[in-house]
Amino acid sequence: MILKADGENLAHAAALACELWPGHTPEELLAELEALSRSEGAVFLAVEDGAPAGFAQCQLRHDYVEGTGTSPVGYLEGVYVREEYRGRGLAKELLRACEGWAREQGCLEFASDCELDNGVSIAFHLGSGFAEANRIVCFTKRLGEEA
Protein backbone atom coordinates (compact mmCIF):
# COMPACT_ATOMS: atom_id res chain seq x y z
CA MET A 1 0.00 0.00 0.00
CA ILE A 2 1.29 3.47 -0.91
CA LEU A 3 0.38 6.38 1.37
CA LYS A 4 1.10 10.07 1.17
CA ALA A 5 3.31 10.52 4.22
CA ASP A 6 2.33 12.97 6.93
CA GLY A 7 2.46 13.03 10.73
CA GLU A 8 3.81 9.76 12.13
CA ASN A 9 4.26 8.32 8.65
CA LEU A 10 6.70 11.13 7.88
CA ALA A 11 8.88 9.92 10.76
CA HIS A 12 8.87 6.42 9.22
CA ALA A 13 9.91 7.94 5.88
CA ALA A 14 12.74 9.84 7.61
CA ALA A 15 14.00 6.59 9.17
CA LEU A 16 14.02 4.98 5.73
CA ALA A 17 15.76 8.05 4.28
CA CYS A 18 18.57 7.48 6.80
CA GLU A 19 19.10 4.05 5.28
CA LEU A 20 19.42 5.64 1.84
CA TRP A 21 21.50 8.60 3.05
CA PRO A 22 23.36 7.30 6.13
CA GLY A 23 25.33 10.51 6.63
CA HIS A 24 22.25 12.18 8.13
CA THR A 25 20.29 11.85 11.35
CA PRO A 26 16.60 10.95 11.48
CA GLU A 27 15.89 14.33 13.08
CA GLU A 28 17.46 16.37 10.29
CA LEU A 29 15.85 14.29 7.57
CA LEU A 30 12.46 14.54 9.32
CA ALA A 31 12.83 18.32 9.38
CA GLU A 32 13.68 18.31 5.65
CA LEU A 33 10.75 16.06 4.78
CA GLU A 34 8.35 18.17 6.86
CA ALA A 35 9.53 21.34 5.11
CA LEU A 36 9.29 19.64 1.72
CA SER A 37 5.74 18.45 2.42
CA ARG A 38 4.66 21.98 3.41
CA SER A 39 6.03 23.59 0.26
CA GLU A 40 6.36 22.26 -3.26
CA GLY A 41 6.97 18.59 -2.57
CA ALA A 42 5.50 15.32 -1.42
CA VAL A 43 6.66 12.21 0.39
CA PHE A 44 5.16 8.77 -0.14
CA LEU A 45 5.49 5.70 2.07
CA ALA A 46 5.18 2.07 1.01
CA VAL A 47 3.72 -0.17 3.71
CA GLU A 48 3.90 -3.96 3.49
CA ASP A 49 2.65 -6.35 6.16
CA GLY A 50 1.96 -3.32 8.38
CA ALA A 51 5.61 -2.20 8.28
CA PRO A 52 7.30 0.73 6.51
CA ALA A 53 8.97 -0.85 3.48
CA GLY A 54 10.06 2.10 1.34
CA PHE A 55 9.65 5.77 0.58
CA ALA A 56 9.96 8.29 -2.22
CA GLN A 57 10.22 12.04 -2.17
CA CYS A 58 9.50 14.36 -5.04
CA GLN A 59 9.23 18.06 -5.59
CA LEU A 60 8.75 20.75 -8.17
CA ARG A 61 11.81 22.25 -9.79
CA HIS A 62 11.44 25.62 -11.44
CA ASP A 63 15.07 26.01 -12.52
CA TYR A 64 16.39 24.31 -15.65
CA VAL A 65 16.20 20.54 -15.47
CA GLU A 66 18.52 18.69 -17.85
CA GLY A 67 16.67 17.49 -20.97
CA THR A 68 13.34 19.19 -20.24
CA GLY A 69 11.54 22.06 -21.93
CA THR A 70 8.80 23.01 -19.47
CA SER A 71 8.54 24.42 -15.97
CA PRO A 72 7.89 23.40 -13.33
CA VAL A 73 9.17 19.84 -13.66
CA GLY A 74 8.30 17.11 -11.18
CA TYR A 75 11.52 15.67 -9.80
CA LEU A 76 12.19 12.38 -8.05
CA GLU A 77 14.62 13.36 -5.30
CA GLY A 78 14.94 9.91 -3.79
CA VAL A 79 13.37 6.46 -3.77
CA TYR A 80 14.31 3.58 -1.49
CA VAL A 81 12.91 0.15 -0.64
CA ARG A 82 14.30 -1.97 2.18
CA GLU A 83 16.15 -5.01 0.89
CA GLU A 84 13.68 -7.55 2.28
CA TYR A 85 10.84 -5.89 0.32
CA ARG A 86 12.62 -5.52 -3.01
CA GLY A 87 11.42 -7.32 -6.10
CA ARG A 88 7.73 -6.66 -5.34
CA GLY A 89 7.36 -3.57 -7.53
CA LEU A 90 7.21 -1.12 -4.61
CA ALA A 91 9.73 1.31 -6.10
CA LYS A 92 7.66 1.53 -9.29
CA GLU A 93 4.49 2.09 -7.23
CA LEU A 94 6.24 4.85 -5.29
CA LEU A 95 7.41 6.39 -8.57
CA ARG A 96 3.85 6.27 -9.96
CA ALA A 97 2.59 8.06 -6.84
CA CYS A 98 5.20 10.79 -7.35
CA GLU A 99 4.34 11.10 -11.04
CA GLY A 100 0.64 11.36 -10.20
CA TRP A 101 1.36 14.07 -7.66
CA ALA A 102 3.42 15.98 -10.26
CA ARG A 103 0.57 15.73 -12.79
CA GLU A 104 -1.80 17.16 -10.17
CA GLN A 105 0.61 20.10 -9.82
CA GLY A 106 0.33 20.77 -13.57
CA CYS A 107 3.66 19.24 -14.60
CA LEU A 108 4.09 17.96 -18.13
CA GLU A 109 7.49 16.38 -17.44
CA PHE A 110 9.10 14.34 -14.69
CA ALA A 111 12.83 13.89 -14.13
CA SER A 112 15.39 12.34 -11.83
CA ASP A 113 19.10 11.67 -11.52
CA CYS A 114 21.55 9.21 -10.01
CA GLU A 115 25.29 8.69 -9.66
CA LEU A 116 27.13 7.50 -12.79
CA ASP A 117 28.24 4.29 -11.07
CA ASN A 118 24.83 3.33 -9.62
CA GLY A 119 23.89 0.60 -12.08
CA VAL A 120 20.86 -0.53 -10.06
CA SER A 121 19.38 2.97 -10.13
CA ILE A 122 20.16 3.45 -13.82
CA ALA A 123 18.40 0.16 -14.62
CA PHE A 124 15.41 1.16 -12.46
CA HIS A 125 15.08 4.52 -14.22
CA LEU A 126 15.41 3.07 -17.72
CA GLY A 127 12.99 0.26 -16.85
CA SER A 128 10.50 2.84 -15.56
CA GLY A 129 10.31 4.78 -18.82
CA PHE A 130 12.94 7.45 -18.21
CA ALA A 131 15.32 8.33 -21.04
CA GLU A 132 18.87 9.35 -20.28
CA ALA A 133 19.27 13.09 -20.91
CA ASN A 134 22.95 13.65 -20.19
CA ARG A 135 26.04 12.47 -18.29
CA ILE A 136 28.29 14.86 -16.47
CA VAL A 137 31.34 14.90 -14.25
CA CYS A 138 31.21 17.63 -11.60
CA PHE A 139 34.29 19.47 -10.38
CA THR A 140 35.00 21.74 -7.41
CA LYS A 141 37.90 23.93 -6.46
CA ARG A 142 38.50 25.76 -3.21
CA LEU A 143 39.31 29.42 -3.77
CA GLY A 144 42.11 31.11 -1.90
CA GLU A 145 44.29 28.03 -1.65
CA GLU A 146 47.47 27.35 -3.57
CA ALA A 147 47.09 24.72 -6.25
Side-chain angles (χ1 to χ4, degrees), residues 68-138:
T68 65
T70 62
S71 182
V73 172
Y75 206 89
L76 181 66
E77 300 292 347
V79 60
Y80 173 77
V81 175
R82 284 191 168 136
E83 192 169 339
E84 63 266 31
Y85 296 103
R86 293 180 186 165
R88 300 181 188 189
L90 293 177
K92 284 191 179 187
E93 287 183 44
L94 287 162
L95 172 60
R96 279 196 292 273
C98 289
E99 291 171 339
W101 174 86
R103 270 189 222 93
E104 290 171 5
Q105 308 309 305
C107 294
L108 300 176
E109 296 177 281
F110 196 79
S112 183
D113 63 52
C114 72
E115 297 291 331
L116 288 172
D117 62 351
N118 191 338
V120 172
S121 184
I122 291 169
F124 168 75
H125 283 84
L126 292 174
S128 297
F130 286 94
E132 187 174 311
N134 194 13
R135 288 185 176 229
I136 63 170
V137 176
C138 300

Side-chain angles (χ1 to χ4, degrees), residues 2 10 19 24 27-28 47-48 58 76 82 114 121 131:
I2 306 297
L10 212 49
E19 295 177 29
H24 300 277
E27 296 78 20
E28 67 185 356
V47 178
E48 285 281 299
C58 55
L76 181 66
R82 284 191 168 136
C114 72
S121 184

Side-chain angles (χ1 to χ4, degrees), residues 28-80:
E28 67 185 356
L29 287 174
L30 178 58
E32 281 185 33
L33 295 179
E34 286 172 339
L36 178 72
S37 295
R38 285 191 305 269
S39 62
E40 292 191 312
V43 179
F44 294 92
L45 183 68
V47 178
E48 285 281 299
D49 307 320
F55 87 102
Q57 71 178 75
C58 55
Q59 70 180 58
L60 300 181
R61 289 201 179 179
H62 297 276
D63 54 335
Y64 174 71
V65 174
E66 201 73 40
T68 65
T70 62
S71 182
V73 172
Y75 206 89
L76 181 66
E77 300 292 347
V79 60
Y80 173 77

